[in-house]
Amino acid sequence: MTGRGCDLHQSPAESLTSDSKHGSSMASSSSSSSAQQRLRIIAGHLQKRPEDENASVAAQECKAEAPRSEPSSATPVPRRRQEIMKWNGWGYSDSRFLFNKKGQAEFTGKRYRLSGLILPSLKDWFEGTFGANLQHRSPATPSLNLSAVAPPNLNQPFVEDLKAAGLTVSHDPEDRVFRAHGHCLHEVFALREGRIGRVPDTVVWPSCHSDVEKIVELACEHNVCLIPYGGGTSVSSALECPREESRSIVSLDTSQMSRILWIDEKNLTAHVEAGIIGQDLERQLNERGFCTGHEPDSMEFSSLGGWVATRASGMKKNIYGNIEDLVVHIKMVTPRGVIEKSCLGPRMSTGPDIHHFILGSEGTLGVVTEVTLKIRPIPEYQKYGSVVFPNFQQGVACLREVARQRCAPASIRLMDNEQFQFGYRSQFKGFDPQHLCVATLLFEGDRGKVLQHEKQVYDIAAKFGGLAAGEDNGQRGYMLTFVIAYLRDLGMDYYVIGESFETSVPWDRVLDLCRNVKERIVRECKERGVQFPPLSTSRVTQTYDAGACVYFYFAFNYRGLSDPVHVYEQVEHAAREEILANGGSLSHHHGVGKLRKEWMKESVSGVGLGMLKSVKEYVDPQNIFGNRNLL
Amino acid sequence: ICFENSMQNIVHNSDVSSESGDSTECVAEEASLILDEMAHRLQLSTVRFFVFTLSKAFKRLFRSVCVNEEGIQRLQQAVQEHPVVLLPSHRSYMDFLMMSYLLYMYDLPLPVIAAGMDFMSMKFVGEMLRMSGAFFIRRSFGGDKLYWAVFSEYVKTMLRNGYAPIEFFLEGTRSRTCKSLTPKTGLLNIVMEPFFKGELFDVNLVPVSISYERILEESLYARELLGIPKPKESTSGLLKARRVLSEDYGSMYVYFGHPVSVRSLTEGKITRSQYNLLPRCIPQKPSADTHEFLNDAAFRLVRIQEENMVLKPWVLIATLLLQNPDGMDLSSLAEQTDWLRHLALAFGAYLDWPDHEACSEVISCSLALHRHLLSVSAGHVQLSVTDAPQVESTPEEAVFHQAVVVLSCASYRNQILHVFLRPALLAVAMQSANSNRKDDVYNCFNFLRNMFSNEFILCPGDSVQDFEEACYLLMKRGVLQVLEHEIVMSASGHSTLAFLSSVLDPFLQGYQVVSRYLCEETNENLTEKEFIPAVRNFALKLILAGRLKCYEALSSDLQKNALAAFLRLKAVRKVKVGDQVTLKVNKIAVNSLEDTLGKSDVTSHQNSWCSSMAMFEIAI
């Protein structure tokens, strides 16, 4: 603990048995000898499937190759995801918050740092913040009522052709329901109530690029609607089946395409199948001494293809870049054929970058099958940090200065006072607990430089009244990011609903935007009959030269409301209007989906939208990729 | 400090420096000079001294100062929530002194006030005002970009920091006629811009209606309107004004209206994202949409001021006395005042009529307070010159003396015009329309409304709404029956319609005089400057010749408004010749307008004027 005058109390999110382990850790790669490196390269070659063979590999063959003995290639996400993941909530089935018989909050399972721990002050925070009461429960429907799922509208010839091509197909209601939603509040809320809308009629699992080519070819032939499905973590209604779609809807689940096809240590690139999920990609690369450094908050579940399709952003983009900076090559199967570049050159001037038609296309043009990504050696040293500021204004001013000096750590995030009260509830001498806020930091690199860098940032912070508050406080902030989605499910058990949304905005508008949007949320809730004051908080999660990414968390107790989801949606809509009116963007990295479509024209101009539409028109005239996102 | 930053932005970003070719340092220096000239220096000690003096003065001047305390409470609430802009009506110098005094007394933050520069030349008082929170703006700085930039940044900084409410007068200047003036939108734009640009979540606009039972500047205003020039504000002038301290000015009323949220006002009307593409420190001219919105908002705010204006019985009496230049018997005055009181109340007037006093008692009180405008003898009341000079020097002077009385009295009638305006326009339209057909009547109504939109507060674009409001009020009163296609006068409606028509009569006559002058004037090079004196002369001659009885035609305010209307209707054009602006008259068009007005006039309305309106359209 480096913070002076820090008097830490229990925060709601802090465990009783909170270990005092420091955040900094030496990465194992420092032990790598040259012999081991050679071994790794050989292992890589063994695993490698030459590019040029790819085209000729038949579906059958590529499937035969799928089971591998290589220990580092972890098994992909199971086809029956519901076996390990919740069908009506976030994440793994074994991990969830609950209030035990004593009224104490617990986090179950073994996967996370918080797992198995008791969180004694969460109850007080929860009841105090939302006016919720443990006596008032709103439990979810325990299991999926299969009779609520409409029978599949099958295109028999298509299904038969798929089977003939040796592809794995399912019409199982559980499989179909699982792929009919992302994690928007309204989607999860409906599942919890056991309401099932339009779901895909078929699920198909390709194992490689050529499987996808076959599926798309057949889909065109039989005119069925394809909806690519990666990690299922969408928060833009992107996975919702369009109600007006009368064709058979096929969910194309990329989870079985999860291999690292090759690693090129000379150029520091890796060629990876797009179905791989973030944690597997990172773990497998780590085992070989590398990383992508791309860590979106959803990285446990979201997939590489999904990142490309939504223009994802990772927490450590200051070092590694966002997804558009990371990709070197993309291969996408469209109804017109395969789109890709002819070389792996790091930059080219060949007209508008065709990657940018793919990045952010949100599954409307085709399926991303393989991606060549930049990789980096695992950093030698990693260190968390935190700074408390007397108020949010000072914190933003500090982040702005850090951006001006272009010395942002791998990650720097500023939480406002409300979030501080949730995550920390600590006392800092000389700081008003009603105004203070905290920035969490993550430094990466070689040890000497990290320490130097750290000093530079803390010196800047000091100019803005910031006080270093220790590594633990920093690490806790990042740890909370991964469990916060689980927390929403807990809230929903007790009449509390909420969601987060984001934007990007020029520096000079950050404060005004945060204040106005938060106040708009409070006001809209009041006007719409929400009985309790909502939680309306913001944080700055990314810094750029010309602006920042801002996140809002918004939740309220809905007791007394007849249609809470509708109220929620109206408030979020108003909040988005407010964001746009204050110079914020429609989205920084969540994407547009169907949720924010109405603002697309306003956001990119009529001509801009027309350009995108004409691309869609050319690439997919039959609207095979008919999820109706974006346009 | 914050302000210094934005000042630097102004200096660097405004196109002033690049246009004038001056160096940035020069511009910065100039800007800081402007700032010195403008800035307020609020000092509580000065304020205390002022309050002490004022409370003495107010106690001598007024019998009572009435404030709506629930309005004060609302204001207290509003100040907590968002920055507040106070928008008082402006009838007297007393207005902003009283505002600051009241806010001080009610423990509210003292406002900073945008006051005209002319105050600054009052040496001692100017500084005192400055230290009481006034900041000074030049009356006209249309062309001076730097001045505008410094000024708007100054106001916005005060607003954003939110340490004190801003106060300014929508009407821009004191109304000499007690009619509300067409509002200005420049300052309104400045105080709304921080909201448009997202710098503030909201701004509360608080319209304040200040009315006087007797206005201190009453006869000063009348003289000014008649072309007797107003003395430049000077300290000695104010000292002379001490004489007024010995007089009785009755009661004063201050009504704090409901705060109007700029956010709700702009909802669906302003796309705030239009401000996204320019750095916010760069001054931006309001877009056409914004301008229209500002104009509309300004009119609505002034209408709120009007509606909240507390009216005394005297305004009813003044209205009746003006309609009866030969005077009235006290008994019939009492009877008609009582009738008018009920009509006014039915139309929603905010009348402060003493509860338990007999009508005659109320009237004699009012007459006593305004005895200097009246002669009362043998139960007969008449507007007249009481303190007439011993020697009646010339007939012209006699006319002017009488005109001072009439215009003074008119300033009281004008306070209630907004109550009668819409029904009165309908009444005149009914008389002049070809038929009882609703669309005929509406066309006439619309013509009149258009003609008088510089004279009265008529929200642009509200024509249909105003027409319907007038129909509704008169129908409710049993004056009219509004059928599907026709509007029919009820048997009992005649007296009300006659009264309403004569409310507008002075204006109809006055505009006719102006148009007749324009038609008869032979000078091809009539300059804008010469216009007022020339029309006044023309009207004076008509009065002396016994051809005109309407003294209000002498009012420069009416003459200016009429000219503005003719310009707007393109019957007159402005042409710039050298430094002079000359007026080019389209005599056919003016003539046709005059005809149309003449036929609306109660004295002669047999002929249809809708046909001449068609002619007018051809003429222009």
Side-chain angles (χ1 to χ4, degrees):
Chain A
M1 185 74 52
T2 52
R4 285 161 285 142
C6 296
D7 173 19
L8 279 173
H9 288 263
Q10 283 297 312
S11 82
E14 190 181 14
S15 69
L16 238 189
T17 54
S18 139
D19 51 348
S20 60
K21 191 177 72 186
H22 274 220
S24 61
S25 60
M26 296 291 288
S28 59
S29 71
S30 57
S31 63
S32 70
S33 67
S34 62
Q36 276 172 318
Q37 193 171 0
R38 277 175 58 82
L39 257 176
R40 265 210 324 276
I41 293 166
I42 294 164
H45 283 307
L46 282 175
Q47 201 191 347
K48 180 185 162 191
R49 196 158 47 102
E51 264 301 86
D52 50 354
E53 274 181 43
N54 216 3
S56 61
V57 170
Q60 288 296 347
E61 289 169 9
C62 100
K63 208 155 289 160
E65 225 182 294
R68 278 154 293 167
S69 50
E70 239 282 327
S72 71
S73 61
T75 45
V77 175
R79 290 196 180 91
R80 291 185 63 77
R81 294 178 190 236
Q82 55 274 27
E83 284 169 1
I84 57 161
M85 287 158 77
K86 295 192 192 83
W87 69 278
N88 63 353
W90 179 261
Y92 297 107
S93 308
D94 55 21
S95 302
R96 59 187 298 250
F97 282 102
L98 53 83
F99 287 112
N100 63 23
K101 293 212 170 70
K102 289 186 205 156
Q104 287 174 318
E106 255 181 74
F107 191 59
T108 63
K110 297 192 188 85
R111 294 175 191 268
Y112 298 91
R113 219 182 124 199
L114 278 184
S115 296
L117 299 179
I118 307 266
L119 305 132
S121 51
L122 185 62
K123 174 173 174 270
D124 288 343
W125 175 83
F126 185 68
E127 292 186 334
T129 305
F130 296 107
N133 186 322
L134 299 197
Q135 309 306 314
H136 300 297
R137 300 203 60 205
S138 51
T141 314
S143 59
L144 175 60
N145 174 10
L146 296 180
S147 63
V149 185
N153 162 27
L154 293 183
N155 183 319
Q156 280 303 345
F158 172 73
V159 174
E160 266 145 41
D161 282 356
L162 282 182
K163 285 180 178 160
L167 287 152
T168 316
V169 174
S170 167
H171 310 297
D172 174 70
E174 285 187 6
D175 288 337
R176 289 159 55 217
V177 168
F178 200 99
R179 284 158 187 82
H181 66 86
H183 284 273
C184 286
L185 175 78
H186 68 269
E187 294 172 315
V188 175
F189 196 91
L191 289 174
R192 288 172 59 94
E193 292 201 322
R195 281 184 286 118
I196 310 292
R198 177 84 153 100
V199 304
D201 305 297
T202 306
V203 182
V204 60
W205 287 269
S207 303
C208 60
H209 171 81
S210 55
D211 281 1
V212 175
E213 280 188 295
K214 188 78 200 164
I215 295 167
V216 173
E217 188 187 306
L218 291 174
C220 293
E221 190 185 319
H222 297 287
N223 193 25
V224 299
C225 171
L226 288 181
I227 298 184
Y229 183 92
T233 56
S234 151
V235 282
S236 59
S237 302
L239 289 168
E240 256 176 34
C241 297
R243 215 165 282 160
E244 59 271 44
E245 181 58 71
S246 57
R247 296 172 296 182
S248 181
I249 297 179
V250 178
S251 178
L252 190 155
D253 184 328
T254 59
S255 61
Q256 309 308 305
M257 310 194 323
S258 61
R259 291 163 300 177
I260 296 176
L261 297 177
W262 49 256
I263 289 174
D264 178 347
E265 298 196 9
K266 288 204 175 76
N267 293 305
L268 286 178
T269 51
H271 192 66
V272 188
E273 288 185 312
I276 195 165
I277 56 171
Q279 58 170 331
D280 290 348
L281 174 62
E282 220 53 14
R283 188 174 52 244
Q284 289 175 42
L285 286 173
N286 284 177
E287 282 164 9
R288 302 179 46 188
F290 297 103
C291 66
T292 62
H294 185 69
E295 296 183 12
D297 290 354
S298 61
M299 69 174 289
E300 292 173 279
F301 307 106
S302 57
S303 70
L304 172 57
W307 301 337
V308 170
T310 55
R311 292 180 67 85
S313 170
M315 165 181 118
K316 299 194 288 197
K317 73 93 194 153
N318 293 333
I319 291 182
Y320 301 97
N322 288 316
I323 193 69
E324 68 273 20
D325 310 307
L326 283 164
V327 295
V328 176
H329 186 269
I330 305 173
K331 202 191 263 185
M332 178 165 80
V333 180
T334 77
R336 281 270 173 195
V338 176
I339 176 174
E340 63 180 322
K341 292 182 183 175
S342 68
C343 70
L344 298 177
R347 181 183 190 272
M348 13 181 144
S349 174
T350 47
D353 190 339
I354 56 156
H355 281 172
H356 286 286
F357 288 122
I358 301 169
L359 287 156
S361 59
E362 303 193 357
T364 58
L365 299 177
V367 187
V368 176
T369 54
E370 290 171 16
V371 179
T372 309
L373 282 166
K374 297 180 200 169
I375 54 172
R376 299 292 304 166
I378 293 175
E380 179 199 333
Y381 188 66
Q382 220 185 26
K383 190 174 184 186
Y384 289 97
S386 63
V387 183
V388 285
F389 291 98
N391 55 47
F392 193 61
Q393 288 88 313
Q394 294 281 74
V396 170
C398 173
L399 262 62
R400 204 280 161 265
E401 185 57 29
V402 165
R404 195 196 310 277
Q405 295 191 21
R406 291 200 171 163
C407 64
S411 169
I412 177 165
R413 288 177 170 178
L414 179 74
M415 302 181 198
D416 68 1
N417 181 258
E418 289 88 344
Q419 287 184 30
F420 172 83
Q421 294 198 12
F422 161 68
Y424 298 88
R425 200 175 286 180
S426 312
Q427 306 257 323
F428 292 90
K429 226 176 195 169
F431 287 87
D432 178 350
Q434 296 308 307
H435 288 108
L436 74 85
C437 69
V438 62
T440 59
L441 311 168
L442 174 62
F443 298 90
E444 265 188 26
D446 62 63
R447 194 184 152 87
K449 277 187 187 152
V450 162
L451 296 178
Q452 202 185 338
H453 192 180
E454 192 185 23
K455 181 174 184 313
Q456 186 186 6
V457 172
Y458 284 133
D459 284 350
I460 294 173
K463 283 188 200 146
F464 296 92
L467 195 68
E471 294 175 45
D472 275 0
N473 283 331
Q475 191 174 17
R476 184 174 320 122
Y478 292 101
M479 182 257 312
L480 287 176
T481 311
F482 287 103
V483 298
I484 204 147
Y486 287 102
L487 207 57
R488 181 172 81 177
D489 291 335
L490 176 73
M492 287 167 96
D493 287 338
Y494 297 92
Y495 288 95
V496 173
I497 52 176
E499 180 121 85
S500 62
F501 44 89
E502 41 73 34
T503 186
S504 56
V505 63
W507 277 116
D508 73 312
R509 291 175 177 267
V510 170
L511 275 179
D512 289 332
L513 181 129
C514 289
R515 182 200 54 234
N516 288 354
V517 172
K518 280 159 70 171
E519 184 155 355
R520 178 77 181 263
I521 287 172
V522 172
R523 184 182 277 210
E524 293 283 337
C525 281
K526 203 169 166 190
E527 280 171 12
R528 296 178 198 285
V530 176
Q531 311 279 312
F532 306 88
L535 176 73
S536 172
T537 85
S538 62
R539 63 160 75 172
V540 180
T541 61
Q542 291 288 11
T543 63
Y544 291 87
D545 287 348
C549 169
V550 175
Y551 241 88
F552 294 95
Y553 291 89
F554 152 49
F556 62 85
N557 181 340
Y558 68 83
R559 285 187 63 218
L561 295 180
S562 59
D563 191 350
V565 171
H566 182 62
V567 170
Y568 170 81
E569 285 174 342
Q570 284 180 314
V571 178
E572 189 188 325
H573 189 274
R576 182 58 62 183
E577 295 274 357
E578 191 65 32
I579 287 172
L580 297 173
N582 283 273
S585 65
L586 188 53
S587 170
H588 170 263
H589 61 274
H590 282 175
V592 174
K594 289 178 272 290
L595 193 61
R596 287 176 275 274
K597 234 165 104 164
E598 63 180 289
W599 292 289
M600 258 307 268
K601 189 172 170 191
E602 181 188 327
S603 290
V604 301
S605 80
V607 177
L609 193 63
M611 278 170 117
L612 298 179
K613 278 184 172 157
S614 67
V615 169
K616 165 79 178 171
E617 188 62 27
Y618 170 76
V619 172
D620 184 16
Q622 280 178 275
N623 195 26
I624 297 300
F625 289 91
N627 60 19
R628 302 190 194 224
N629 292 336
L630 198 61
L631 301 175
Chain B
I1 298 156
C2 172
F3 184 61
E4 272 168 24
N5 282 340
S6 19
M7 282 296 299
Q8 273 178 5
N9 270 326
I10 290 174
V11 172
H12 290 289
N13 285 323
S14 65
D15 22 46
V16 181
S17 55
S18 48
E19 269 174 20
S20 60
D22 289 345
S23 69
T24 344
E25 290 77 34
C26 282
V27 178
E29 197 176 314
E30 199 183 321
S32 80
L33 285 177
I34 293 174
L35 196 58
D36 281 347
E37 174 192 279
M38 189 162 60
H40 75 91
R41 284 191 290 278
L42 190 78
Q43 271 189 2
L44 224 55
S45 55
T46 315
V47 173
R48 287 203 193 97
F49 170 72
F50 233 144
V51 164
F52 175 78
T53 329
L54 281 177
S55 68
K56 294 247 164 199
F58 287 153
K59 270 174 198 154
R60 287 182 75 166
L61 285 171
F62 302 113
R63 290 183 200 165
S64 61
V65 177
C66 306
V67 182
N68 65 328
E69 291 208 334
E70 86 280 0
I72 293 279
Q73 279 158 17
R74 287 194 297 253
L75 182 58
Q76 272 156 349
Q77 177 93 35
V79 167
Q80 306 286 318
E81 288 169 355
H82 302 291
V84 163
V85 177
L86 294 164
L87 301 169
S89 59
H90 202 10
R91 304 286 175 268
S92 165
Y93 283 145
M94 284 296 127
D95 293 331
F96 70 92
L97 297 178
M98 186 51 93
M99 284 291 290
S100 295
Y101 176 76
L102 286 176
L103 295 183
Y104 181 87
M105 296 310 272
Y106 282 102
D107 223 4
L108 280 155
L110 284 180
V112 287
I113 310 151
M117 279 280 254
D118 29 15
F119 279 106
M120 213 175 75
S121 51
M122 299 197 266
K123 276 180 201 136
F124 177 66
V125 176
E127 275 314 293
M128 291 277 288
L129 289 175
R130 202 191 275 278
M131 286 187 239
S132 316
F135 62 94
F136 296 101
I137 53 173
R138 296 180 193 162
R139 279 257 182 258
S140 56
F141 44 88
D144 192 340
K145 280 189 181 172
L146 183 64
Y147 190 86
W148 179 253
V150 173
F151 168 66
S152 70
E153 196 52 45
Y154 182 73
V155 175
K156 281 186 263 178
T157 305
M158 284 189 294
L159 201 63
R160 283 192 297 250
N161 294 346
Y163 82 100
I166 307 273
E167 178 181 315
F168 69 90
F169 300 106
L170 272 173
E171 298 162 281
T173 183
R174 289 175 299 158
S175 165
R176 271 67 170 167
T177 58
C178 282
K179 265 185 296 142
S180 294
L181 302 177
T182 305
K184 307 267 189 292
T185 56
L187 263 162
L188 198 60
N189 183 41
I190 290 179
V191 297
M192 285 188 179
E193 225 182 45
F195 167 74
F196 295 156
K197 290 184 172 176
E199 293 162 325
L200 292 170
F201 184 79
D202 202 352
V203 175
N204 276 323
L205 307 175
V206 180
V208 184
S209 310
I210 306 176
S211 52
Y212 299 85
E213 195 167 8
R214 198 184 142 196
I215 296 159
L216 272 78
E217 293 99 327
E218 176 190 271
S219 63
L220 265 175
Y221 285 159
R223 290 202 172 110
E224 199 186 317
L225 291 172
L226 292 168
I228 307 161
K230 113 177 167 177
K232 209 177 176 199
E233 278 89 352
S234 68
T235 309
S236 61
L238 198 84
L239 289 177
K240 269 182 217 149
R242 275 188 57 116
R243 198 165 57 102
V244 302
L245 286 180
S246 55
E247 294 214 22
D248 178 2
Y249 289 89
S251 300
M252 180 179 171
Y253 296 82
V254 184
Y255 187 96
F256 288 88
H258 282 270
V260 178
S261 140
V262 172
R263 179 174 276 266
S264 42
L265 208 56
T266 55
E267 210 172 291
K269 293 184 181 146
I270 294 283
T271 319
R272 278 180 287 158
S273 56
Q274 68 182 292
Y275 294 88
N276 286 352
L277 294 180
L278 261 190
R280 293 184 293 176
C281 53
I282 294 182
Q284 234 175 310
K285 272 220 171 113
S287 63
D289 280 5
T290 310
H291 204 270
E292 193 183 322
F293 164 77
L294 287 168
N295 201 38
D296 193 61
F299 270 91
R300 275 168 217 289
L301 289 162
V302 172
R303 275 206 71 187
I304 296 176
Q305 285 177 354
E306 285 185 334
E307 279 159 17
N308 292 338
M309 203 71 89
V310 178
L311 304 171
K312 295 298 284 182
W314 166 245
V315 301
L316 302 174
I317 300 166
T319 308
L320 292 168
L321 289 174
L322 282 167
Q323 288 191 7
N324 297 280
D326 300 327
M328 300 171 85
D329 287 335
L330 272 174
S331 56
S332 90
L333 178 63
E335 190 189 318
Q336 288 196 42
T337 305
D338 196 51
W339 173 83
L340 189 52
R341 172 189 162 202
H342 287 102
L343 184 69
L345 287 173
F347 287 174
Y350 192 171
L351 200 57
D352 180 43
W353 188 279
D355 271 338
H356 304 294
E357 279 178 54
C359 188
S360 57
E361 189 60 30
V362 174
I363 288 174
S364 66
C365 273
S366 297
L367 295 181
L369 189 68
H370 297 277
R371 59 184 173 275
H372 56 290
L373 298 174
L374 308 164
S375 67
V376 187
S377 64
H380 192 82
V381 202
Q382 194 171 2
L383 287 179
S384 81
V385 190
T386 46
D387 56 346
Q390 301 300 331
V391 197
E392 285 280 318
S393 36
T394 62
E396 284 86 354
E397 274 178 31
V399 169
F400 274 108
H401 281 304
Q402 183 62 21
V404 168
V405 173
V406 170
L407 291 187
S408 298
C409 195
S411 76
Y412 294 100
R413 176 212 57 203
N414 286 347
Q415 294 179 25
I416 202 171
L417 271 182
H418 67 271
V419 173
F420 297 126
L421 176 61
R422 277 148 264 267
L425 288 170
L426 180 57
V428 176
M430 292 272 298
Q431 283 165 345
S432 46
N434 264 342
S435 67
N436 286 337
R437 284 168 47 104
K438 207 171 174 179
D439 47 353
D440 276 344
V441 177
Y442 174 75
N443 284 339
C444 296
F445 177 89
N446 201 22
F447 169 81
L448 290 165
R449 196 181 171 280
N450 203 10
M451 196 74 220
F452 287 129
S453 64
N454 295 78
E455 194 70 48
F456 309 115
I457 299 300
L458 291 158
C459 299
D462 271 7
S463 190
V464 173
Q465 215 173 306
D466 284 348
F467 182 71
E468 276 166 8
E469 186 188 319
C471 287
Y472 168 77
L473 288 174
L474 287 176
M475 210 162 60
K476 198 178 75 173
R477 198 67 196 152
V479 175
L480 298 178
Q481 282 176 290
V482 182
L483 311 171
E484 200 185 342
H485 297 294
E486 283 196 327
I487 300 181
V488 189
M489 189 174 80
S490 310
S492 60
H494 182 74
S495 56
T496 308
L497 285 184
F499 163 78
L500 289 170
S501 306
S502 20
V503 165
L504 286 186
D505 194 41
F507 300 97
L508 286 164
Q509 286 198 44
Y511 276 48
Q512 277 176 270
V513 170
V514 174
S515 44
R516 215 173 309 154
Y517 162 73
L518 288 170
C519 289
E520 289 175 20
E521 172 61 54
T522 47
N523 179 4
E524 277 293 298
N525 295 315
L526 174 69
T527 64
E528 203 182 3
K529 273 187 198 156
E530 292 162 347
F531 171 75
I532 297 282
V535 183
R536 185 185 299 128
N537 237 342
F538 181 78
L540 180 64
K541 277 181 196 150
L542 286 177
I543 291 170
L544 287 170
R547 285 165 60 201
L548 179 67
K549 295 230 158 19
C550 175
Y551 285 87
E552 290 185 54
L554 291 167
S555 158
S556 62
D557 181 70
L558 181 145
Q559 293 154 359
K560 270 183 225 160
N561 291 335
L563 178 61
F566 289 136
L567 284 164
R568 185 166 39 79
L569 297 171
K570 300 194 172 70
V572 178
R573 261 175 329 124
K574 278 189 192 179
V575 180
K576 228 179 170 173
V577 185
D579 316 341
Q580 302 275 31
V581 179
T582 60
L583 301 172
K584 296 288 172 209
V585 182
N586 177 342
K587 295 202 173 170
I588 303 170
V590 172
N591 207 8
S592 141
L593 284 173
E594 191 208 335
D595 275 4
T596 315
L597 286 168
K599 277 150 202 164
S600 319
D601 202 336
V602 268
T603 48
S604 57
H605 52 80
Q606 292 93 350
N607 291 331
S608 82
W609 55 261
C610 284
S611 58
S612 78
M613 199 163 74
M615 219 177 80
F616 157 72
E617 273 163 20
I618 296 157
I620 60 170

